[in-house]
Amino acid sequence: MYLINQNALVTDVIYAFDTKSQQWVLPVINGTGPNRRRGVQAVSDNTGKIYYFGGNSDYITTGSPTANVTRYNTLNILDTAQLSWSIGSTIDAPSPREGYSATLFINLIIFIGGRENSYNGQPFSLVNISQIPVYDTQSSKWYLTTVGGANVSNRHSHSAILAQNDLIIIYGGVSEGGVPAPQQLIALNITSSPYQWIVPTTSYLSLYAMPPPLSLHSATSVGKYMIIAFGNITNITRSASLSIYLLDTTNWTWVTTFQPSNPINTVNIGNNLILLSHI
């Protein structure tokens, strides 16, 4: 992020948007927050706390062409009610990493995949996706859980949502060698003990409804739908995605029509255009 007309990096980490005044503001926050980082995912709970784990700094975040990549494993916590920074427990914290996904389930933050520091002379290695660190926001403790079920591929730069059926659904991501992860759509059953990986069999209503392999995209859960937007196409084309895709998570079907709860009008997706109706 650059300051307009100054060709200089934005140094502030937190900005806020006031929905009443429709204005951006720069909040004054007490305590010491993190430096500029990328490759992070943040989650917020119902007490107004935002949890911000790990990430990396490099020449892009520092503006220095000689900067080395530094990965972090600190859990920075922003209390939006008190406007203050604090740091979560470091006891049993996972390795420094970035490019993971973070999903809040009740009081548990579940961190999946990503890239960590490598010890074999390489700049990074992929995190073992079957070893999942979890942070309990109530007890402020870390623990590591081993996942069973299907054999799924390690990845980074994927997306994750918590679906209505208490599955964490993951789409996309990049595997070893910068190639797309072999199973683009996977799901984690977090109601079983231990957690179980699932590789759903999907269908599609139209060829254009099914997304290409993606990374660095966004995903949102709305009712029974997983909405995937934009990102990088990671197959041979290596281009930016301009499209939005819908997955009906109740039957694992890629669809082109959004049917909201208590609808007045449906929302149709086509030609990279989403038409929103009042509900």
Side-chain angles (χ1 to χ4, degrees):
M1 294 174 58
Y2 282 82
L3 294 170
I4 297 175
N5 300 326
Q6 295 185 32
N7 194 28
L9 289 171
V10 172
T11 56
D12 298 293
V13 176
I14 300 295
Y15 289 81
F17 185 73
D18 189 320
T19 57
K20 291 184 178 180
S21 66
Q22 299 287 295
Q23 298 291 321
W24 285 100
V25 296
L26 191 63
V28 177
I29 303 174
N30 298 316
T32 302
N35 58 350
R36 283 170 48 92
R37 300 179 191 178
R38 61 193 186 114
V40 299
Q41 290 288 323
V43 300
S44 59
D45 63 16
N46 57 9
T47 69
K49 291 182 179 178
I50 298 175
Y51 298 83
Y52 178 103
F53 176 74
N56 72 42
S57 65
D58 54 16
Y59 70 96
I60 292 178
T61 59
T62 62
S64 171
T66 60
N68 294 321
V69 174
T70 302
R71 294 185 176 89
Y72 302 89
N73 68 338
T74 50
L75 181 66
N76 295 279
I77 304 172
L78 174 60
D79 187 329
T80 61
Q82 302 297 324
L83 286 181
S84 62
W85 285 107
S86 62
I87 295 178
S89 173
T90 58
I91 299 173
D92 298 323
S95 61
R97 63 189 60 184
E98 43 90 14
Y100 57 85
S101 64
T103 308
L104 181 68
F105 176 63
I106 309 176
N107 58 297
L108 303 178
I109 307 176
I110 301 169
F111 296 89
I112 297 173
R115 303 191 295 186
E116 60 186 346
N117 292 336
S118 180
Y119 303 100
N120 57 4
Q122 300 300 315
F124 66 86
S125 60
L126 294 181
V127 173
N128 184 353
I129 205 168
S130 293
Q131 297 286 321
I132 294 181
V134 178
Y135 185 79
D136 189 324
T137 61
Q138 291 185 351
S139 65
S140 300
K141 292 182 179 180
W142 288 98
Y143 65 89
L144 187 68
T145 182
T146 300
V147 182
N151 185 21
V152 297
S153 301
N154 299 332
R155 67 197 64 203
H156 69 88
S157 303
H158 52 281
S159 64
I161 65 159
L162 180 64
Q164 287 182 322
N165 51 7
D166 290 340
L167 291 177
I168 294 178
I169 303 176
I170 288 176
Y171 188 78
V174 178
S175 190
E176 296 287 355
V179 300
Q183 310 109 329
Q184 284 285 286
L185 185 72
I186 58 178
L188 183 65
N189 184 352
I190 53 178
T191 60
S192 63
S193 182
Y195 297 164
Q196 297 287 312
W197 280 117
I198 302 168
V199 181
T201 299
T202 61
S203 59
Y204 51 87
L205 298 182
S206 132
L207 183 62
Y208 299 102
M210 189 171 181
L214 293 174
S215 65
L216 300 172
H217 53 285
S218 68
T220 306
S221 179
V222 179
K224 65 178 182 178
Y225 298 100
M226 180 182 190
I227 303 177
I228 295 172
F230 313 125
N232 292 337
I233 300 174
T234 53
N235 60 16
I236 194 170
T237 62
R238 299 284 176 177
S239 57
S241 171
L242 304 178
S243 301
I244 296 173
Y245 299 92
L246 290 175
L247 176 68
D248 185 333
T249 62
T250 61
N251 55 20
W252 303 111
T253 301
W254 295 102
V255 299
T256 56
T257 300
F258 176 77
Q259 187 71 36
S261 301
N262 303 318
I264 293 176
N265 297 303
T266 60
V267 178
N268 295 315
I269 292 181
N271 299 321
N272 303 326
L273 178 67
I274 183 167
L275 304 177
L276 300 179
S277 62
H278 294 288
I279 300 174

